[in-house]
Amino acid sequence: TAPRHPQEGNRACILVDSREITTGLEVISSLRAVHGLQVEICPLNGCDYIVSNRMVVERKSQSEMLSNTAKKKFIEQIQRLQSMFQRICVIVEKDREKAGDISKMFRRTKCYDSLLTALVGAGIRILFSSGQEETADLLKELSLVEQRKNVGIHIPTVLSTRQCEALPFYLSIPNISYITALNMCHQFSSVKKMANSSPEEISTCAKVTHQKAEEIHKYIHYLFDVQMLP
Amino acid sequence: MERNAPGGTGPVYVPLGHIVANEKWRGSQLAQEMQGKVRLIFEEGLASADFYLSSKSCILYITEADLVAGHGYRKRLARFRNSAHLQGIIIVEKTHLSEQYFPAVQKFTVLDLGMVLLPVASQSEASCLITQLVLEQTREPSKNPFLRKKHSMLSEFSLVQTVQQIPGVGKVKAPLLLQKFPSIQQLSNASIQELEEVVGRAVAQQIHTFFTQPKRQQPGT
């Protein structure tokens, strides 16, 4: 079949955290090599990949999941993602084998099993990957599934200066994800318009659940009391 | 001890902390290793699953041989998915022999069917994992760190941070503005004159512009 060239903004888009440039370079270049994916590197502040308006993907190396020392940090990270995103997927990636390193045998631990079952119990998806290339392939598949469910990311890549100014403002709203803030930049004609929107309007424009929209609405209308400042 | 009706049509009754296993697993290494940790009840004629963790969730086990044999297991999974109102957890033997088939299985079960898939290297790894799954089932949901209620932090501090994102507003002006216009919504509707009572003319103008200036219409939107 001849390659189709969908219009700019109509292609599936994945947002990638800038930190992944150092840790997952191969993932990024594989994503770009996969035809028809728009890969945007953004300062996502600790979210590895955003594949749709509601889904974040956390890439974790197997060795980190096996050790008890990193467990607390991992749990805190997932909890943070839960406050921002409706859906979470964890990709457990096999560590790269260094030549002559036999000590790094994968030995399953109780810690690893208990993490997996806790994730399953909370409805967090888990995928297993043998390396960075496969991780990229899984990310692509996830974004396609999300697109079929009409929650794919479709935003023009270029922000006007006006929108650039509004982005940090929207990002400072508690528990808001980068993609939600981006959607706000694009969908609200001005920040004033957003501040005077009903929860329904916020839900439609920011592409968030009704519950999330209520939360944002409450924040915008929250009355400041100087006595409460720490 | 109540027995489940054979035929596997109704919901399967699983006493707390037990696991109901398909008769075919009797005597297997997997069953033997689990027996020390959880109580197993063997049942004949369980419809489609290998183990029941509760009346709502069960485990389907795919062996290395199933994978190598081809796509037979797919029919079983799809049938299960269409018939049962159960959460299905798929445990698959991912060994050196079956590794190459794993990505396809994962795409099918997780991405197409939306089920849970967990790879194990052997039956003894599976026994540890299933034991852990039983523990997870029996503990309070609040004990799961990912199901805990989160406490929201004080909004005052984040409000100041939000207002600081407005061009021209820093650490000093943000609380002053919020004392006069106590919510973001009220601040967004303030006139230049009202803002001038708190900040200088230039900054008042900047704030007003920030809130009101619509983005330029892009062609094609």
Side-chain angles (χ1 to χ4, degrees):
Chain A
T1 50
R4 288 179 307 130
H5 287 286
Q7 282 182 315
E8 188 65 40
N10 278 348
R11 289 188 300 163
C13 168
I14 291 186
L15 306 183
V16 179
D17 187 22
S18 14
R19 283 182 327 172
E20 287 293 297
I21 295 174
T22 46
T23 54
L25 196 55
E26 214 181 312
V27 179
I28 298 172
S29 47
S30 302
L31 278 175
R32 287 234 166 94
V34 171
H35 173 76
L37 272 188
Q38 183 188 333
V39 178
E40 295 295 325
I41 314 274
C42 315
L44 297 184
N45 194 355
C47 311
D48 295 345
Y49 300 88
I50 299 180
V51 294
S52 75
N53 287 321
R54 59 176 189 182
M55 189 188 242
V56 65
V57 181
E58 173 78 3
R59 179 172 151 257
K60 262 274 166 269
S61 76
Q62 204 172 38
S63 58
E64 279 181 289
M65 299 270 296
L66 286 166
S67 79
N68 241 326
T69 42
K71 189 174 176 176
K72 192 162 170 276
K73 219 175 98 192
F74 174 72
I75 289 174
E76 281 168 6
Q77 166 69 353
I78 298 292
Q79 286 172 336
R80 208 172 71 86
L81 297 178
Q82 282 180 309
S83 69
M84 293 190 276
F85 291 91
Q86 212 187 322
R87 298 198 177 197
I88 300 170
C89 176
V90 176
I91 296 183
V92 182
E93 192 182 274
K94 217 168 156 167
D95 300 74
R96 196 171 298 203
E97 282 168 31
K98 295 180 189 73
D101 189 11
I102 316 161
S103 63
K104 274 261 174 157
M105 274 285 289
F106 168 67
R107 204 169 274 120
R108 207 177 178 111
T109 58
K110 193 170 158 53
C111 161
Y112 180 77
D113 279 344
S114 70
L115 266 183
L116 289 186
T117 55
L119 290 168
V120 169
I124 292 164
R125 291 190 164 198
I126 313 167
L127 290 165
F128 298 86
S129 150
S130 58
Q132 295 199 11
E133 251 177 77
E134 196 181 340
T135 298
D137 184 48
L138 291 170
L139 285 164
K140 178 201 72 173
E141 292 290 335
L142 280 169
S143 84
L144 289 176
V145 170
E146 288 291 275
Q147 262 211 298
R148 282 200 292 273
K149 295 180 180 167
N150 277 327
V151 285
I153 297 173
H154 299 288
I155 40 165
T157 45
V158 189
L159 286 173
S160 68
T161 15
R162 194 53 51 204
Q163 292 167 330
C164 285
E165 270 183 355
L167 184 62
F169 180 85
Y170 290 142
L171 278 172
S172 73
I173 299 170
N175 304 330
I176 228 172
S177 70
Y178 195 89
I179 185 63
T180 301
L182 269 185
N183 285 331
M184 284 180 163
C185 286
H186 285 288
Q187 301 292 331
F188 286 109
S189 54
S190 71
V191 180
K192 182 174 175 172
K193 186 108 179 47
M194 183 262 155
N196 291 286
S197 291
S198 67
E200 288 73 26
E201 286 165 327
I202 294 175
S203 172
T204 313
C205 292
K207 298 187 171 67
V208 287
T209 59
H210 197 79
Q211 190 191 351
K212 192 76 188 172
E214 290 275 3
E215 214 179 291
I216 296 167
H217 186 264
K218 221 163 108 185
Y219 182 72
I220 297 298
H221 289 258
Y222 182 88
L223 292 177
F224 178 81
D225 175 2
V226 74
Q227 304 298 323
M228 299 295 287
L229 267 185
Chain B
M1 176 73 242
E2 199 178 325
R3 300 286 296 180
N4 289 304
T9 41
V12 175
Y13 171 76
V14 186
L16 195 69
H18 289 59
I19 199 164
V20 171
N22 197 315
E23 184 62 38
K24 70 176 186 199
W25 287 96
R26 194 187 286 278
S28 66
Q29 183 198 357
L30 176 56
Q32 278 166 359
E33 292 198 18
M34 275 198 295
Q35 233 132 10
K37 303 167 220 159
V38 280
R39 271 165 294 189
L40 280 175
I41 303 165
F42 289 100
E43 296 269 347
E44 292 263 8
L46 286 177
S48 48
D50 294 290
F51 301 96
Y52 283 81
L53 296 166
S54 72
S55 53
K56 286 194 215 55
S57 87
C58 60
I59 292 170
L60 285 86
Y61 196 93
I62 301 176
T63 63
E64 178 186 72
D66 291 337
L67 282 188
V68 179
H71 291 326
Y73 67 88
R74 287 183 174 227
K75 277 206 188 82
R76 186 179 153 217
L77 296 186
R79 243 204 329 265
F80 171 83
R81 164 87 202 283
N82 295 334
S83 67
H85 311 281
L86 288 160
Q87 183 206 20
I89 297 171
I90 320 296
I91 292 183
V92 59
E93 283 181 0
K94 185 184 175 192
T95 62
H96 282 296
L97 282 179
S98 63
E99 209 164 25
Q100 56 179 316
Y101 307 102
F102 181 78
V105 178
Q106 178 165 260
K107 269 187 193 173
F108 179 69
T109 51
V110 183
L111 298 169
D112 299 344
L113 299 180
M115 294 166 104
V116 177
L117 177 76
L118 298 167
V120 293
S122 62
Q123 285 200 14
S124 75
E125 270 194 12
S127 76
C128 295
L129 180 63
I130 295 173
T131 308
Q132 195 63 47
L133 280 165
V134 175
L135 284 176
E136 182 63 42
Q137 288 270 348
T138 50
R139 72 175 180 169
E140 291 281 316
S142 63
K143 289 273 193 295
N144 181 328
F146 307 121
L147 290 174
R148 263 184 225 139
K149 284 271 170 285
K150 288 160 289 287
H151 304 289
S152 54
M153 52 178 269
L154 277 178
S155 289
E156 263 73 14
F157 180 67
S158 40
L159 273 180
V160 172
Q161 295 221 301
T162 298
V163 174
Q164 277 189 47
Q165 302 304 321
I166 301 167
V169 181
K171 275 201 177 80
V172 179
K173 292 197 180 92
L176 293 175
L177 283 164
L178 280 164
Q179 280 178 65
K180 183 147 170 63
F181 312 99
S183 73
I184 302 282
Q185 192 248 350
Q186 290 179 39
L187 180 59
S188 77
N189 294 320
S191 69
I192 298 185
Q193 290 77 10
E194 287 173 317
L195 289 164
E196 272 185 26
E197 292 168 28
V198 186
V199 293
R201 172 163 301 190
V203 176
Q205 181 71 57
Q206 258 185 309
I207 296 170
H208 191 261
T209 306
F210 170 80
F211 277 115
T212 55
Q213 184 154 348
K215 62 174 185 191
R216 258 169 287 131
Q217 281 299 309
Q218 287 158 338
T221 50

